Amino acid sequence: MNPFQLISARFLLFFLFSGVVTSVNAQNEPADKAVLAFSVDMQKLLGDQALKAMTGEKILGQLLQLGPREVDSLKGMVKVSGFFAAPRGDLEPESLVATNMLVVLEMNNEKRVEEMKEQISSGFIEAELDGKKVYKADGFGAPPWFARGEGKRMIFATESYLFADPESLPNAELGSLLKKAGSASVSLAADLDGARAMLDQLSAMANANADFMTKQYISLIDEVKTVQLSADPSSDPLFQLRLSGHNEKENRQIKLKMDAAIGLLKGVSELGMEPIREMEPTLDKLAAELLEGLTVASAEEATTVKLKRPADFSARFGASLEASLRRAQAAARKSMDMNKMRQVALSKHNFYDAYRKFPFDPEHNLNLSWRVRVLPFIEESALHDQFDLNQKWDSKTNRKLVASMPEVFRLSNGSTISYIRPMTLPASFAEVRDGTSNTLVFVENRKARMIPWTKPEGLTPEAFAKSVANLKDNDGLLVAFYDGRVTRITNRTSRETLMKLCNPGDGNIIEPEEIK
């Protein structure tokens, strides 16, 4: 090989080697750099005393609308972190979903990663990318996202980020911010200049219909260069937000605007404290301390907003949270019970439209309960067809269905919805002579828990009046009127009023204030 050939060969090898290196770097270091990064230490966050009340499967599932399996996966996460680039082009849905991103879920064992692969199977299909097995988002309008499992990590990303080295993703400014980040439970860093094109569009859109005061705060989009955020329920401060401008002038403007914003927040929050004060006094006091501990400080290079951690915050917040959740659950149960009563009241109307009689009319009520009669009108036709309507409720055929009562007849406290059976039972609306809005038809019967739902039995006005009188203060029974209205009746309603409400043709009209 002559010198020329040797030089040419070395040049060719160098060129090919450079090409390979360039190709590898292109894959591991995408040109579209991330401008936002976040990290959540799940074990530290959920392990804090303040949030332990939320880690129970039922409460956490209700808050996040997750099933037991998904809740278990969430509790098995060690860390969640990710990177996002700025959207390319206009702020259209197509541009936003195609934005480069990477989200990494670190689990406490590899088995949980395999379980997660099964859980995403409904939205992802197996695919191949760069010769490697991955999962691709599938379905009509699916985003260009991929997923892959790697040891104890489940990774979701766009194509150019999927196999990239996470350390290569941040742009220079974001990388510098991340090096300064601490070990908080939740942290976030963003380089707003890296997303300036998108933010300019947002600023223009926001300014289009904004008043003068609002525009002053919108201008923060242009003035803020970088953002750092950290939050930790176990540390002081609880929360810290650091905003850096491009120069000293902008930093002064940011400080003035944050001072004004915090002052406005404290003023508005004080006005809105009354509902919280009535609902949960301990939470009201804690909220007041949190607002008092919200401060703004400034240095030449940045403005920092801090939230001071009140004494015994975790224990106090956890107790208030549990109390609030219990109250919310109780309200949800009450709402669900009222909806059941309305559905039953509506089924009576639909039955009447079909047969021109009520389902508890004596002629229809010899063998089986009215509840069986209305089954086709509460979407239970299949169950209705299993009954022999010519036999009694305790016959060999019908007795088998006693354990099949639809949940619509059972309230959250175990009570059953019963009908009121006065001395003279109306067969039609025309026989409800006192008015459909003045006559009770269905009531919450706490004595009927052990009575078979198929048995043709109603509640007498006397028995109902006695059950109301025995109620504790602040308790009430759910009732429905012939017109379909649903409300609650307490022991403050007199026996005389109750007896009038239960009798459809005694000629006594009840004034609204008599029902309590």
Side-chain angles (χ1 to χ4, degrees):
M1 182 179 291
N2 61 43
F4 177 77
Q5 289 175 319
L6 183 61
I7 293 172
S8 298
R10 288 181 176 177
F11 178 79
L12 179 60
L13 287 172
F14 177 78
F15 178 79
L16 291 174
F17 179 76
S18 298
V20 171
V21 172
T22 302
S23 176
V24 171
N25 286 340
Q27 182 186 35
N28 290 335
E29 297 187 13
D32 194 6
K33 295 289 188 177
V35 297
L36 182 147
F38 75 92
S39 177
V40 181
D41 186 330
M42 297 296 292
Q43 297 299 305
K44 188 175 181 181
L45 186 65
L46 295 179
D48 182 79
Q49 186 179 355
L51 300 177
K52 279 185 178 178
M54 294 172 57
T55 58
E57 288 189 6
K58 291 184 179 180
I59 295 178
L60 191 61
Q62 289 173 358
L63 285 173
L64 303 180
Q65 298 297 301
L66 300 176
R69 189 177 182 184
E70 288 77 14
V71 169
D72 184 61
S73 293
L74 187 62
K75 292 165 67 176
M77 291 182 188
V78 175
K79 183 180 180 182
V80 181
S81 57
F83 294 94
F84 290 85
R88 297 176 181 175
D90 295 332
L91 292 178
E92 298 295 333
E94 297 80 4
S95 176
L96 292 174
V97 298
T99 299
N100 276 323
M101 65 90 181
L102 170 78
V103 175
V104 179
L105 310 180
E106 295 187 24
M107 314 300 289
N108 55 15
N109 58 61
E110 295 182 8
K111 182 181 177 181
R112 290 188 179 274
V113 173
E114 295 304 314
E115 292 173 350
M116 186 160 289
K117 288 180 183 178
E118 294 180 14
Q119 292 175 23
I120 69 170
S121 60
S122 59
F124 286 75
I125 59 172
E126 290 189 7
E128 188 174 291
L129 190 63
D130 292 342
K132 298 177 182 178
K133 179 184 174 181
V134 298
Y135 298 89
K136 180 181 180 181
D138 182 53
F140 179 75
W145 297 343
F146 294 84
R148 68 185 182 93
E150 179 183 271
K152 297 180 182 180
R153 301 193 305 170
M154 192 71 192
I155 300 170
F156 297 86
T158 46
E159 182 175 350
S160 64
Y161 273 29
L162 188 62
F163 293 105
D165 176 8
E167 293 186 7
S168 72
L169 294 180
N171 67 10
E173 190 66 52
L174 182 61
S176 176
L177 290 173
L178 292 176
K179 288 180 181 179
K180 300 175 183 177
S183 57
S185 298
V186 180
S187 60
L188 177 145
D191 169 26
L192 271 57
D193 278 357
R196 189 53 58 190
M198 176 196 72
L199 294 176
D200 285 345
Q201 292 181 58
L202 282 175
S203 180
M205 291 167 57
N207 273 308
N209 299 305
D211 55 37
F212 175 78
M213 183 64 70
T214 304
K215 287 182 179 181
Q216 300 305 304
Y217 291 108
I218 294 174
S219 65
L220 282 169
I221 296 176
D222 303 317
E223 295 164 348
V224 175
K225 178 184 178 184
T226 62
V227 176
Q228 283 183 304
L229 180 149
S230 62
D232 198 328
S234 303
S235 302
D236 189 17
L238 283 171
F239 169 91
Q240 181 169 289
L241 175 66
R242 188 175 185 276
L243 304 174
S244 175
H246 298 86
N247 51 55
E248 189 176 339
K249 179 181 178 181
E250 286 187 340
N251 281 327
R252 286 198 300 269
Q253 291 296 319
I254 293 170
K255 168 66 164 58
L256 291 173
K257 291 171 184 178
M258 294 310 297
D259 274 331
I262 297 302
L264 181 62
L265 175 63
K266 290 182 177 180
V268 172
S269 297
E270 182 59 33
L271 293 174
M273 280 293 181
E274 192 59 36
I276 298 177
R277 193 171 293 117
E278 294 177 359
M279 181 178 67
E280 186 57 55
T282 58
L283 186 60
D284 165 53
K285 186 175 181 180
L286 183 60
E289 287 185 40
L290 286 169
L291 284 172
E292 184 64 29
L294 198 57
T295 60
V296 180
S298 180
E300 290 185 4
E301 70 281 1
T303 293
T304 303
V305 179
K306 291 184 179 182
L307 180 59
K308 182 179 174 60
R309 187 177 190 271
D312 299 323
F313 170 74
S314 292
R316 293 166 63 192
F317 180 71
S320 297
L321 180 63
E322 283 189 282
S324 298
L325 288 174
R326 285 196 299 270
R327 192 172 288 103
Q329 290 169 337
R333 287 194 294 269
K334 284 186 177 181
S335 177
M336 180 179 64
D337 288 344
M338 292 193 77
N339 287 335
K340 286 183 176 181
M341 186 68 85
R342 289 191 185 99
Q343 188 176 349
V344 170
L346 179 61
S347 73
K348 177 259 302 177
H349 275 71
N350 291 335
F351 184 96
Y352 185 87
D353 290 342
Y355 298 104
R356 310 311 298 172
K357 289 181 180 293
F358 292 130
F360 33 77
D361 175 72
E363 293 181 14
H364 285 83
N365 201 31
L366 299 177
N367 295 322
L368 290 160
S369 165
W370 62 273
R371 300 183 189 92
V372 177
R373 305 289 176 183
V374 301
L375 286 176
F377 303 96
I378 59 170
E379 300 181 1
E380 291 285 355
S381 295
L383 179 58
H384 180 267
D385 293 342
Q386 296 178 51
F387 282 91
D388 186 337
L389 303 182
N390 296 314
Q391 295 183 25
K392 290 187 176 181
W393 71 274
D394 56 353
S395 67
K396 184 177 180 180
T397 298
N398 293 335
R399 192 167 57 242
K400 299 176 182 177
L401 302 170
V402 168
S404 302
M405 184 174 81
E407 284 301 309
V408 70
F409 298 124
R410 183 184 291 110
L411 303 181
S412 60
N413 61 4
S415 300
T416 303
I417 297 177
S418 296
Y419 84 98
I420 290 292
R421 180 170 52 83
M423 187 69 69
T424 302
L425 194 66
S428 66
F429 279 109
E431 294 182 15
V432 186
R433 287 184 285 273
D434 288 351
T436 57
S437 62
N438 288 302
T439 310
L440 293 178
V441 57
F442 296 120
V443 299
E444 174 185 342
N445 186 357
R446 297 181 183 176
K447 298 284 188 179
R449 299 181 186 185
M450 303 305 293
I451 299 175
W453 69 283
T454 55
K455 186 177 181 179
E457 186 172 300
L459 192 67
T460 64
E462 292 78 10
F464 174 63
K466 184 177 180 180
S467 65
V468 172
N470 290 334
L471 288 173
K472 296 180 180 179
D473 292 343
N474 300 319
D475 193 7
L477 292 178
L478 207 57
V479 299
F481 291 80
Y482 270 88
D483 65 354
R485 181 168 62 95
V486 175
T487 187
R488 288 185 182 275
I489 285 182
T490 71
N491 58 11
R492 291 181 297 157
T493 302
S494 69
R495 184 181 188 281
E496 181 183 4
T497 296
L498 293 172
M499 297 301 291
K500 292 177 182 178
L501 287 172
C502 292
N503 288 286
D506 60 6
N508 293 303
I509 307 301
I510 303 300
E511 297 297 328
E513 60 269 16
E514 295 182 63
I515 303 174
K516 303 174 183 178

